[in-house]
Amino acid sequence: MLTGQDPVAAYGALVSGALGSDGRIGETLINTIPLILTGLAVAVGFRGGLFNIGAEGQLLLGALVAAAVAPVWGVPPLLGIPLLMLFGAAAGAAFAFIPGILKARLGANEVITTLMLSYVAFYISEYLIVNPLKEPGVLPATALIAEADRLPRVSDAMAAVGLVEPGGQLLGRLHLGLLVALLVAAAIAYLFSRTVPGFSIRLLGLNPEAARYGGVPIGRTIVMTMMLSGAIAGLAGVIQVLGVNYRMSSSFSPGFGFTGIAIALLGNVSAGGVVLAAGLFGMLQTGGQVMQRTAGTPSSIVTIIEGLVIFFVAVQLYLPTARLYRWSLRLRRRRS
Amino acid sequence: MRGISKHFGSVHANTSIDLDIHPGKVHALLGENGAGKSTLMNILAGFVRPDAGQVEIDARPLPLADPRAAIDAGIGMVHQHFQLVPSLSITANVLLNDEPQSGLFIDEAAAHQQVAELCRRFGLAVDPRARVRDTTVATQQKVEILKVLRREARVLILDEPTAVLTPSEVRELFAFLVELRAHGTAIVLITHKLPEALGIADRLTVLRGGRVIATKDPTSLTTQDLARMMVGREVLLDVAKPSHEPGDVVFAAHALAARDDRGMQALQGVELEVRAGEIVGVAGVDGNGQTELVEVVAGLRPASSGTIEWLGETIEDLSVLGQMRRGIGYIPEDRRSRGLVLEMDLRANVILRRFREEPLSKGLQLDRGVIDRQTRTLLDRYGVTASPDTAAANLSGGNQQKIVVGRELLDAPRLLIASQPTRGVDIGATQFVYDQLVAARDRGAAILLVSFDLDELLALSDRLVVMYRGQINARFANTAVSQEELGAAMAGSVSGARA
Amino acid sequence: MEIAVFIGLLLAATFRIAAPIGYAALGATVAERSGVINVGLEGMMLFGAFAGVFVSYLTGNPWLGVLGGVAVAALVALLLAVAVVTFRANQIVAGMAINVLALGLTRFGLDTIWNQPGVSPSVAGLGPIEVPLLSQLPILGEALFQQNPLVLLLPLLVVAAHLSLVRTPFGRHLEAVGESPEAAESVGIDVVKTRYVALIVSGALAGVGGTVLSLGQLTYFVEAMTAGRGFIALAANIFGRWTAVGAFLASLLFGLADALQLSLQVAGVSIPSQFLLILPYLLTIVAVAGAVGRTNAPAALGRPYTRA
């Protein structure tokens, strides 16, 4: 309305843009996949009382690994793709190790360290894209990954197992990364509800002093939580490269890592909630682009909605406040 | 004060209390923790609004729940937990929000002058330029007193002022109070320390369960009289403790030393032994190393030197997990911040310490069935009528403590450390805790009981030690020891130990 | 290139680049001394930068632009204050919300007002001025005294801030609120009001910092042009141990890192720009990790205050 457009038409375009056709649903889901993962990454951090604001940087590193290695190493995809996911996750974990250890040993505020490192990651990847890894051509980008080495489309995979006709276009470009993302979500849900390490992380996040009393090794748990968070973010980067972009260029990520923060909060830090919230934002993103084309409404609306979501969730969410409060109490006692 | 009543939820802190305060007299307000003394005085000083009753100064009614009005009427209160800004100087704290100015800036010189003048006037010696965080607790208390006195206080209320002072500092404080009294100021002293009250008070009021039990002239009273009035519950006298022969030494500490959170030496050369089947009570004024001792034994704090022995062997790797696995249980003094995770449900709190061990988990996976069963058993056995899904925050203090105590007893520990186990706990749950401790002892557990409640210590302990300045300075082999002897040891005199 | 010329270039660039960070860092100091972590400084700078350009576009007057930037950023800070002080929201999350909103709203503004994605049209900016006499000094003259007026204003503001924080009753009360709000409240200081004021001031300062970027260094607004300076400002405050002078000096240090990168490029030294560009960020990490910074934080920092 502010921009003189018909809101009904605009939102209609949003929804139909997101879900209007089989191909569009595919696009929505494609946008959802990295958001599920970054949302999970940030949520894992939150569970442990840590703010991994720099998931973006970890994502970039994971993507770098995949984009650099995949075109040249000649490993057959059946083995290569899972291995790359592993490497990318490891890269993200290693990158997140730094703020983790700084926090555990020195009490360094991870909001700033993870954020600063994400800028570092951005510049490092930019340098690598522009120089050593650059493919000849106009755009600075890495080599294109051969078709065989990419994450297969859902339609192709289903055709391979005989569920649909080969050559079909079911769900458009949607790739198997969706499966991976959902598996990770299930694994995280399981981690926190049924496992010992998950319980340790939850204790740390809710009451670090009681956690110490309960025998949880605080420093080690902080580092482990950050590394897990970084690993998931790194995985997101790998999947984006292998499933969508097939290469890495300067404008690789439209801020998936940062959107992940909103998603984690909106999903109330639970795995299921994150998946749903990611779905919502995926719809917003896809629908937003269509909305822009047809109704002329700028896509920045989506970012604004994102910001409002975080804001309103922040104002209502007393639990993290209480957590931080107790955490800061403990830090104060350690300092004094 | 007439007919003062106040309740917080279902707790009746004050019920129809009448109190008269006279100028130039020290009035001691006695009672146990939770008897309602602080609440009553907070009402007088305007920090809390009573549900009923009124307050009159010079026969004129005082507006209630108005700290400013109370201050203007000449009422000043020094709280137990000081309200000072540690990073600022003493002068800055005393004159906070009332700083002398020259132009836009604070006139520091004039400010220091003012404070020096106050010191002279009231006979308190502090260095105005010192930063509060670098000063001793006794000095900080003087700063708080200065803050109050400079507003021409006619009534000075002190809430447990001696809890944090050494004996000589207590003497200094009381000398000061005597001077102040001579100048006509009325002094109200909230305390639970009987000898002190008898020593300085002109009048005494004993509170129990929120009511006035008696207001008397102390000259004819003894500490026993007071204790009876204060405690007055048959429950305590019912600690049925059959005599029990202690077994072998289960735990021993030799020359144990450790530092506190600020890096200062909290323990220096502690020698301690606990045997199976005995309760060793640790007495002492708060801040003499009891907290640190408990933390070292529980594995939460490293020892800076000395040795700890378990079943005759020196422990090399002191850690929370290690101690737990040896069968050492720990009831922490602060259940809300350390003993429980209030946001989690009861199941989570029951497994808080042992979730890594079988049968609660196998490898990395938690066994929900076993956890649920153990939780229900515990709730059942200890009479907590709540579902395992309840968040711990929704339980009463007594029930919360039952969870903590019950949890630590689940695995029949060989050594149980109980630190302030009945703090903030209602009578029924207190009885429960006492019964559990005695039962554990009878089953052969060694128990280290740390408490500020002398009655509790005397009722439960087989042996008593007293901690002073990080060392054990007195030992009493049986509990036929008087409160006076204990008090003297707690105040620093190394008594001829009947060890 | 002559060493003297190089140093001159370096100094000039340092001050020019440090200025926006310096303003925001002062904002961080004020807010944190009152006990509130203002993570939204980045967003407030961005809002300020945008509003500055917009007002200058409308009026043709860059100084009105600066005022506009200050006003908008202060308003945003007010919003944060409501969330964080009155509603006791988590300070970090609420601050991040502001940052995301800033990105979205400024992008939206670019699209709807000028229909130009990514960049606004050029507007009247603040050109450099020359301080008489002093600017004739060799080397130093050009570096320090030929800058845009906001850069020249900063050191004066730092002095003013220092005096306010350390020598005035308001500064004293601010410190009390940040160290022990209970103690402050007990002597009648209004903790809520103090924190509101502190946040609004910090927002205003961030707004100035933003306009230094969009009206001083450039004369237009670029999407996300603050590029993390608001966060560097937070680190500068920590590095500077929560003092006005310290925050300013730390900002200079960060400015130096960035300026080094530029100057080396101009001097023809061929180090890839990215390596130098990450220097400020690495420096920030070192600052935050350094044990020096931690122990001086206001004791009540980050803790929401509940009036008993």
Side-chain angles (χ1 to χ4, degrees):
Chain A
M1 284 181 282
L2 270 177
T3 59
Q5 282 127 8
D6 177 11
V8 176
Y11 285 116
L14 183 86
V15 176
S16 75
L19 304 170
S21 77
D22 162 271
R24 293 267 174 82
I25 296 184
E27 284 299 307
T28 298
L29 287 174
I30 288 182
N31 278 331
T32 303
I33 296 169
L35 294 179
I36 293 179
L37 289 169
T38 55
L40 284 173
V42 176
V44 166
F46 275 157
R47 287 286 202 150
L50 300 166
F51 285 85
N52 183 9
I53 310 284
E56 182 79 5
Q58 294 138 19
L59 181 150
L60 283 176
L61 278 193
L64 252 185
V65 164
V69 171
V72 295
W73 72 339
V75 174
L78 205 54
L79 183 62
I81 292 179
L83 269 183
L84 280 177
M85 289 194 203
L86 211 59
F87 291 161
F95 202 51
F97 171 76
I98 302 171
I101 194 92
L102 287 178
K103 171 111 195 184
R105 291 287 180 84
L106 300 172
N109 186 318
E110 74 278 11
V111 172
I112 298 189
T113 47
T114 53
L115 198 52
M116 293 296 110
L117 279 177
S118 70
Y119 282 103
V120 171
F122 173 72
Y123 283 117
I124 289 181
S125 64
E126 198 186 80
Y127 169 73
L128 289 174
I129 292 173
V130 167
N131 296 318
L133 301 175
K134 184 173 178 337
E135 273 292 284
V138 182
L139 287 172
T142 62
L144 198 60
I145 299 179
E147 189 160 334
D149 295 321
R150 303 174 189 172
L151 267 175
R153 303 248 162 99
V154 167
S155 54
D156 295 335
M158 288 174 80
V161 292
L163 281 173
V164 294
E165 289 283 315
Q169 284 291 305
L170 179 66
L171 295 176
R173 299 192 301 149
L174 180 61
H175 54 88
L176 283 183
L178 182 62
L179 206 60
V180 177
L182 291 175
L183 280 174
V184 173
I188 295 292
Y190 180 73
L191 174 76
F192 282 117
S193 65
R194 301 268 191 130
T195 68
V196 170
F199 191 70
S200 298
I201 297 178
R202 283 170 60 206
L203 280 183
L204 172 66
L206 284 175
N207 188 340
E209 174 148 5
R212 250 188 38 157
Y213 164 75
V216 173
I218 301 284
R220 221 184 312 162
T221 310
I222 292 178
V223 174
M224 291 274 103
T225 308
M226 282 301 298
M227 286 179 73
L228 179 60
S229 178
I232 301 177
L235 180 63
V238 172
I239 291 184
Q240 275 305 97
V241 166
L242 292 181
V244 180
N245 303 57
Y246 313 128
R247 73 197 325 169
M248 212 178 153
S249 58
S250 291
S251 55
F252 176 70
S253 164
F256 290 129
F258 295 112
T259 313
I261 302 172
I263 301 216
L265 286 171
L266 186 59
N268 209 14
V269 200
S270 77
V274 163
V275 171
L276 287 175
L280 178 66
F281 270 72
M283 273 175 53
L284 282 176
Q285 300 232 351
T286 316
Q289 284 156 8
V290 175
M291 191 168 73
Q292 176 157 20
R293 277 201 302 267
T294 59
T297 320
S299 62
S300 47
I301 295 267
V302 173
T303 317
I304 297 177
I305 295 181
E306 205 180 287
L308 287 173
V309 164
I310 305 182
F311 190 76
F312 284 116
V313 168
V315 171
Q316 290 183 34
L317 218 58
Y318 292 117
L319 197 57
T321 302
R323 256 184 259 167
L324 251 183
Y325 168 36
R326 275 180 219 128
W327 186 242
S328 75
L329 252 189
R330 181 174 174 266
L331 273 180
R332 251 197 316 155
R333 224 184 291 176
R334 230 199 319 165
R335 259 186 251 141
S336 68
Chain B
M1 303 177 82
R2 287 275 173 276
I4 301 286
S5 294
K6 174 73 187 174
H7 70 92
F8 296 105
S10 58
V11 177
H12 288 272
N14 293 147
T15 310
S16 305
I17 296 190
D18 293 338
L19 188 70
D20 292 321
I21 300 173
H22 304 275
K25 302 247 183 286
V26 174
H27 196 129
L29 200 55
L30 285 171
E32 292 197 294
N33 282 336
K37 323 182 286 291
S38 295
T39 306
L40 186 64
M41 287 300 108
N42 273 314
I43 291 175
L44 178 60
F47 293 113
V48 170
R49 177 181 291 282
D51 301 326
Q54 57 233 79
V55 179
E56 284 181 7
I57 302 259
D58 295 330
R60 266 170 308 142
L62 177 74
L64 300 169
D66 187 349
R68 278 245 98 107
I71 292 176
D72 290 336
I75 301 174
M77 182 165 177
V78 174
H79 290 91
Q80 243 183 319
H81 299 291
F82 302 149
Q83 295 172 320
L84 298 173
V85 183
S87 64
L88 293 176
S89 69
I90 289 183
T91 300
N93 269 280
V94 174
L95 297 178
L96 194 59
N97 208 16
D98 199 12
E99 297 91 355
Q101 287 179 252
S102 79
L104 284 174
F105 301 136
I106 300 175
D107 188 343
E108 301 283 3
H112 289 308
Q113 257 296 57
Q114 274 189 33
V115 174
E117 188 49 48
L118 281 172
C119 288
R120 251 195 306 275
R121 196 170 131 207
F122 293 112
L124 288 169
V126 295
D127 173 14
R129 288 166 201 274
R131 221 181 287 193
V132 165
R133 73 158 150 247
D134 299 328
T135 60
T136 65
V137 173
T139 307
Q140 289 171 11
Q141 193 180 66
K142 289 181 193 164
V143 177
E144 283 282 1
I145 295 177
L146 276 176
K147 272 167 70 176
V148 167
L149 290 180
R150 74 178 277 264
R151 298 189 185 277
E152 304 305 330
R154 301 166 54 200
V155 180
L156 174 65
I157 308 167
L158 295 158
D159 193 349
E160 304 280 6
T162 60
V164 293
L165 300 179
T166 67
S168 61
E169 287 164 350
V170 172
R171 276 194 295 273
E172 212 184 322
L173 176 66
F174 280 11
F176 166 74
L177 290 179
V178 166
E179 273 292 309
L180 204 59
R181 175 176 62 184
H183 279 114
T185 312
I187 301 173
V188 180
L189 192 67
I190 302 178
T191 180
H192 64 275
K193 299 198 185 173
L194 311 181
E196 279 172 12
L198 285 179
I200 196 174
D202 301 307
R203 270 179 95 60
L204 292 172
T205 296
V206 179
L207 288 186
R208 188 172 85 218
R211 289 174 199 277
V212 173
I213 300 298
T215 297
K216 288 196 188 299
D217 178 340
T219 41
S220 56
L221 292 174
T222 65
T223 51
Q224 274 88 327
D225 298 326
L226 289 179
R228 209 178 313 123
M229 282 193 275
M230 268 171 60
V231 171
R233 48 179 198 230
E234 302 72 23
V235 168
L236 190 47
L237 304 172
D238 259 8
V239 178
K241 205 163 57 93
S243 72
H244 187 103
E245 268 305 303
D248 294 324
V249 172
V250 154
F251 167 82
H254 298 299
L256 193 61
R259 293 183 189 280
D260 66 15
D261 286 336
R262 281 178 302 165
M264 324 254 280
Q265 204 68 29
L267 295 178
Q268 9 206 359
V270 170
E271 298 283 333
L272 184 64
E273 276 186 356
V274 191
R275 296 167 190 274
E278 76 170 343
I279 299 182
V280 176
V282 179
V285 173
D286 189 13
N288 277 291
Q290 302 94 312
T291 310
E292 286 78 14
L293 175 64
V294 159
E295 285 175 354
V296 171
V297 180
L300 276 168
R301 182 179 292 276
S304 58
S305 65
T307 54
I308 298 185
E309 282 174 17
W310 179 253
L311 302 176
E313 288 184 14
T314 312
I315 298 180
E316 300 294 341
D317 63 324
L318 195 63
S319 68
V320 177
L321 268 182
Q323 296 302 79
M324 242 198 300
R325 291 195 170 127
R326 291 188 177 94
I328 299 180
Y330 171 33
I331 300 171
E333 62 200 41
D334 192 341
R335 63 175 165 274
R336 294 181 65 87
S337 64
R338 186 182 279 180
L340 294 168
V341 181
L342 293 175
E343 298 95 337
M344 289 176 115
D345 64 20
L346 297 183
R347 284 192 207 91
N349 279 287
V350 166
I351 68 173
L352 183 57
R353 299 243 286 164
R354 299 163 305 113
F355 65 93
R356 254 168 260 95
E357 321 292 324
E358 305 213 359
L360 293 175
S361 67
K362 262 211 181 59
L364 288 181
Q365 184 170 336
L366 298 169
D367 189 332
R368 303 245 235 151
V370 173
I371 293 175
D372 195 57
R373 273 197 299 279
Q374 274 203 11
T375 307
R376 286 182 198 278
T377 309
L378 202 159
L379 292 177
D380 206 38
R381 192 186 300 172
Y382 299 135
V384 179
T385 53
S387 115
D389 294 314
T390 324
N394 294 337
L395 292 183
S396 70
N399 278 338
Q400 285 174 349
Q401 194 70 337
K402 282 187 185 176
I403 302 271
V404 176
V405 172
R407 167 184 78 206
E408 292 308 301
L409 289 173
L410 263 178
D411 282 338
R414 301 185 75 159
L415 170 67
L416 180 64
I417 310 165
S419 188
Q420 318 298 335
T422 60
R423 195 178 80 163
V425 166
D426 61 85
I427 297 206
T430 300
Q431 178 70 62
F432 161 81
V433 173
Y434 291 168
D435 291 339
Q436 293 302 315
L437 289 178
V438 173
R441 181 202 75 155
D442 291 342
R443 277 195 305 268
I447 301 185
L448 191 64
L449 174 66
V450 178
S451 175
F452 301 143
D453 186 338
L454 290 182
D455 295 305
E456 183 171 271
L457 285 174
L458 288 171
L460 290 172
S461 316
D462 298 309
R463 269 199 300 134
L464 276 174
V465 300
V466 179
M467 283 203 72
Y468 181 72
R469 295 272 175 89
Q471 286 178 307
I472 295 184
N473 71 335
R475 297 165 202 272
F476 302 98
N478 57 50
T479 55
V481 57
S482 65
Q483 291 226 2
E484 282 86 24
E485 277 178 282
L486 266 183
M490 284 163 65
S493 72
V494 182
S495 66
R498 285 189 266 135
Chain C
M1 172 178 272
E2 244 188 63
I3 215 56
V5 179
F6 178 75
I7 297 210
L9 255 183
L10 190 62
L11 276 179
T14 299
F15 276 94
R16 195 181 67 238
I17 295 176
I21 302 178
Y23 276 104
L26 276 184
T29 306
V30 172
E32 296 210 3
R33 277 178 86 99
S34 82
V36 180
I37 307 178
N38 185 356
V39 172
L41 276 177
E42 172 86 358
M44 291 173 197
M45 276 182 90
L46 199 60
F47 273 122
F50 184 82
V53 164
F54 183 54
V55 172
S56 180
Y57 175 76
L58 286 178
T59 65
N61 182 334
W63 285 105
L64 284 180
V66 174
L67 276 176
V70 168
V72 168
L75 265 170
V76 174
L78 178 63
L79 185 64
L80 182 65
V82 170
V84 158
V85 179
T86 303
F87 284 101
R88 276 172 269 137
N90 181 297
Q91 294 173 7
I92 295 183
V93 176
M96 288 305 297
I98 301 269
N99 296 335
V100 175
L101 277 173
L103 277 172
L105 282 170
T106 53
R107 194 186 305 166
F108 181 73
L110 276 179
D111 282 337
T112 47
I113 300 177
W114 292 299
N115 239 310
Q116 256 178 254
V119 143
S120 77
S122 224
V123 298
L126 296 167
I129 63 176
E130 284 193 28
V131 177
L133 282 184
L134 287 169
S135 61
Q136 303 305 322
L137 292 172
I139 304 175
L140 283 183
E142 195 181 298
L144 304 179
F145 299 109
Q146 267 185 35
Q147 299 267 13
N148 88 61
L150 289 177
V151 175
L152 295 170
L153 189 58
L154 181 59
L156 297 175
L157 205 60
V158 170
V159 173
H162 171 81
L163 289 174
S164 305
L165 289 173
V166 171
R167 303 262 313 266
T168 65
F170 173 71
R172 180 69 59 81
H173 300 176
L174 193 76
E175 183 173 344
V177 165
E179 294 280 345
S180 174
E182 294 82 16
E185 194 83 41
S186 79
V187 294
I189 299 176
D190 188 336
V191 171
V192 168
K193 197 171 85 149
T194 307
R195 285 187 169 170
Y196 262 81
V197 170
L199 272 176
I200 293 176
V201 168
S202 87
L205 285 168
V208 179
T211 56
V212 173
L213 277 177
S214 67
L215 293 177
Q217 285 184 19
L218 303 170
T219 53
Y220 46 85
F221 178 85
V222 180
E223 206 178 299
M225 69 189 302
T226 46
R229 284 181 180 77
F231 297 107
I232 299 185
L234 283 174
N237 168 49
I238 298 178
F239 208 38
R241 286 153 156 257
W242 288 270
T243 63
V245 175
F248 174 62
L249 291 176
S251 308
L252 283 182
L253 195 61
F254 289 122
L256 179 63
D258 211 352
L260 201 61
Q261 173 255 133
L262 277 175
S263 310
L264 283 177
Q265 272 195 7
V266 172
V269 180
S270 62
I271 302 182
S273 62
Q274 288 90 355
F275 283 175
L276 291 165
L277 278 167
I278 62 179
L279 265 181
Y281 302 106
L282 287 178
L283 209 54
T284 306
I285 296 177
V286 170
V288 168
V292 229
R294 275 189 310 132
T295 49
N296 288 72
L301 186 61
R303 182 161 52 98
Y305 175 66
T306 323
R307 203 171 277 165

